[in-house]
Amino acid sequence: MSESHFDRIAAAYDDSLPPHVVEHYLEKRTRFVLDHCSRGRALDVGCGTGALAARLAGAGYEMVGVDPSEGMLRVLEERTSRVRAVRGSGTSLPFDDDSFDLVLSVAVLHHIADAEDVRRTLGEMARVADRGGHILVWDHNPRNPYWGRLMARVPQDTGDERLIAQAELLRGLREAGAEAQVVTQLGMVPDFVPRNLIGVAARAERVAESVPLLRGLCAHNVILATKR
């Protein structure tokens, strides 16, 4: 997808989902990082408007956000001064080897779509991670039946996306020299949940995540790997 498309939608991007649903997933992702990754230097690849990067900076991580869209980075810079914004592509990250304790991407790789570019991005994420550092990939699960309907409605998705299978993500990380430590599926709260039912939906989500057959249909593939 072109950078200009994300430049055009940058101002509206944060309003594409209801605020209470956005908050649910921000808290979920922040808690996962806090539970699994020590505080340190962290890079958010495809950071967009920086909502997650800002939340992690507030939790004590030294955050850098990289994104090819100038429009998205402008929103990030207006949001917070605690995240260093860098323009760049995931396929060629503008950082030295072994620069970060944590490198993460959330809902990004399906936009990159092309298989070779996905492989290169995973390789770059591993390259700039420190030895023994973490690489976290959190992306759309192709097995979840709701994505097609949601992606048809939100402005960031144009139909050029490709939902990437867990096996492809694992293979790319392995080839890049990273060993998976956590491999799971998370998330089941849909965008249409009313605000007054978000607590009920979150409890149902936790049940789904604990049942193997249901977990496989959750919204996101989540892989936490360590650089060898």
Side-chain angles (χ1 to χ4, degrees):
M1 188 177 296
S2 68
E3 299 161 19
S4 60
H5 171 76
F6 281 99
D7 291 339
R8 287 193 298 270
I9 69 165
Y13 178 80
D14 286 338
D15 298 323
S16 62
L17 294 175
H20 60 283
V21 175
V22 172
E23 176 60 29
H24 169 77
Y25 282 106
L26 280 174
E27 174 60 27
K28 189 178 192 70
R29 291 159 182 165
T30 301
R31 176 49 52 193
F32 183 94
V33 172
L34 286 168
D35 287 346
H36 293 88
C37 306
S38 300
R39 290 172 177 82
R41 303 159 296 162
L43 173 66
D44 187 349
V45 177
C47 63
T49 61
L52 179 59
R55 188 67 60 93
L56 291 173
Y61 295 87
E62 183 183 341
M63 291 302 304
V64 178
V66 62
D67 200 281
S69 167
E70 291 182 354
M72 291 286 190
L73 293 176
R74 281 195 297 271
V75 177
L76 165 58
E77 291 172 333
E78 292 168 1
R79 181 191 299 276
T80 181
S81 61
R82 300 181 70 177
V83 179
R84 181 162 69 93
V86 177
R87 189 176 182 214
S89 169
T91 59
S92 183
L93 292 172
F95 306 103
D96 293 336
D97 296 358
D98 310 324
S99 293
F100 298 96
D101 302 297
L102 167 65
V103 182
L104 69 151
S105 74
V106 175
V108 170
L109 295 179
H110 69 284
H111 288 298
I112 294 174
D114 178 79
E116 177 59 22
D117 286 343
V118 169
R119 188 189 68 79
R120 289 173 59 192
T121 299
L122 293 171
E124 282 290 279
M125 291 175 66
R127 178 184 66 79
V128 302
D130 202 358
R131 298 181 188 279
H134 288 111
I135 302 102
L136 173 61
V137 177
W138 190 307
D139 216 88
H140 294 4
N141 178 12
R143 297 177 62 192
N144 179 275
Y146 186 59
W147 276 123
R149 296 175 62 186
L150 177 58
M151 292 170 72
R153 297 202 308 272
V154 294
Q156 59 265 36
D157 295 326
T158 66
D160 295 329
E161 298 77 21
R162 180 177 69 92
L163 303 191
I164 301 166
Q166 182 186 87
E168 182 178 344
L169 299 174
L170 288 168
R171 183 170 61 251
L173 288 167
R174 186 170 58 250
E175 291 174 354
E179 181 178 353
Q181 305 293 324
V182 177
V183 180
T184 191
Q185 292 80 37
L186 296 174
M188 194 65 95
V189 173
D191 63 306
F192 56 77
V193 169
R195 180 183 296 274
N196 64 331
L197 293 179
I198 189 69
V200 174
R203 289 193 291 274
E205 177 183 79
R206 289 193 291 274
V207 171
E209 291 170 347
S210 69
V211 178
L213 288 177
L214 291 177
R215 186 173 63 239
L217 298 177
C218 281
H220 302 101
N221 283 318
V222 179
I223 301 172
L224 180 69
T226 301
K227 181 175 177 178
R228 293 192 293 267

